[in-house]
Amino acid sequence: MAVPHDSHETSYLLPPNSKDWEGHGIPDFVYGQEELVLEGIQWPRDAPGLPEDSVPPSRFDSVLCSAWRQRVELGLFRYRLGELQTQTLPGAVGFVAQLNVERGAQRRRPQSISSVKQAFDPALFNFNKIRPGEVLFRLLREPDLPGAPQQEDILVMINVSPLEWGHVLLVPEPTRGLPQRLLPGALRAGVEAVLLSSHPGFRVGFNSLGGLASVNHLHLHGYYLAHRLPVEGAPSEPLDPGGHLHLLQAVPVPGFLFYTSRPGPDLEALIGRVCRATDYLTDREIAHNLFVTRGAPPGKTSPSSALTGVRVILWARKSSFGVKEGEAFNVALCELAGHLPVKTSQDFSSLTEAAALALIQDCLLPPAQAEEVQAALVALIAQDEQ
């Protein structure tokens, strides 16, 4: 896929000798309000590709991609990610399927999880145990951003089993030993990372425990995908009078849609609503997945609608503990959004829209429970308006 040019920044690159990495320290990426861009980021007319010369990379893109590329050259990943074979499945949904055999075969085995509320266990693998060179930088915003609290430290590190180019993890201060439960500071960093990128295909997501999170240590995923996804412009209907919560309709499956077109107080309000919703789900042992992408405003939109703000989409789903080895793909944040990383060549060549929908829909809550969750989230949002 096309990616932004290398950054001229050198402070984010590791010394050539691995013996010097331990003492290299973690560089800070400090950003201000002016770098959070909501307007003017669109897909080119000749999508799905994003030519390098058509969209100037932001400072965030340049730093992330140059540091990520260096880690590729240094061999810090479990496999070298090549150009992934990609197809849009025929049909109304527009699923983007990619063949990623190496991730299916070489990724770290998921931890044994038995509860959406499971406590952090320092004896298991966690992000305090990674190699020094895997951390790219510390994401820090200037303390004077209006209307927003001071951001906690967020480490941006490579995912050693990448889904796509630039696949990173956003990890709030790892030494705190936070379990995989979404917190406002983590979500804020994820949304602002999307706004820091000038690439319309940089997305961020979160898998809860039971929602196929493989490590019980708080983290979000971020990665580039140079293709439109169905959820960017899917239509929705409002669920509350204030228009703060919408039901994403049709493709690929229904989800709860939160939207903002302005940083500052509006973004903070969105973060609060989303985290109250995920707290409700976690407290009731309901697994969930979340996806953050540039997208169209709620309402009667279309796949080609302008990307005027940020969509945060939340899906409540059946808990799934462990990986189902025999299926074409596992259903987590990117699959629910319409991006399908497929494990084998045979499945990639034979996969149909109907088969993909059947796999995804099998992970949804039973209708009665889904209606109960919807009513509860609408009531939560209504409390904000009182």
Side-chain angles (χ1 to χ4, degrees), residues 110-131:
Q111 293 174 357
S112 177
I113 304 295
S114 59
S115 168
V116 179
K117 297 188 288 185
Q118 192 159 312
F120 174 78
D121 184 349
L124 299 178
F125 171 80
N126 62 75
F127 301 117
N128 293 307
K129 299 183 178 184
I130 64 171
R131 295 167 292 181

Side-chain angles (χ1 to χ4, degrees), residues 7-48:
S7 169
H8 297 296
E9 299 278 356
T10 57
S11 61
Y12 298 94
L13 303 181
L14 292 170
N17 191 332
S18 61
K19 294 179 181 179
D20 298 328
W21 295 353
E22 191 78 48
H24 175 62
I26 300 173
D28 292 337
F29 182 93
V30 182
Y31 62 95
Q33 173 92 13
E34 71 283 355
E35 292 185 81
L36 302 178
V37 180
L38 270 159
E39 298 180 353
I41 306 298
Q42 303 296 335
W43 289 104
R45 292 183 178 178
D46 58 350

Side-chain angles (χ1 to χ4, degrees), residues 1-4 43 48-52 65 68-69 81-86 98 163-167 199-203 223-227 339:
M1 64 166 283
V3 297
W43 289 104
L50 183 65
E52 290 187 38
C65 289
W68 201 90
R69 183 180 287 109
L81 189 74
E83 188 80 16
L84 296 176
Q85 191 174 347
T86 303
Q98 289 189 310
L163 282 169
E164 246 289 10
W165 178 266
H167 190 174
H199 192 314
F202 183 75
R203 280 81 171 218
Y223 69 103
Y224 295 91
L225 178 69
H227 296 268
H339 173 212

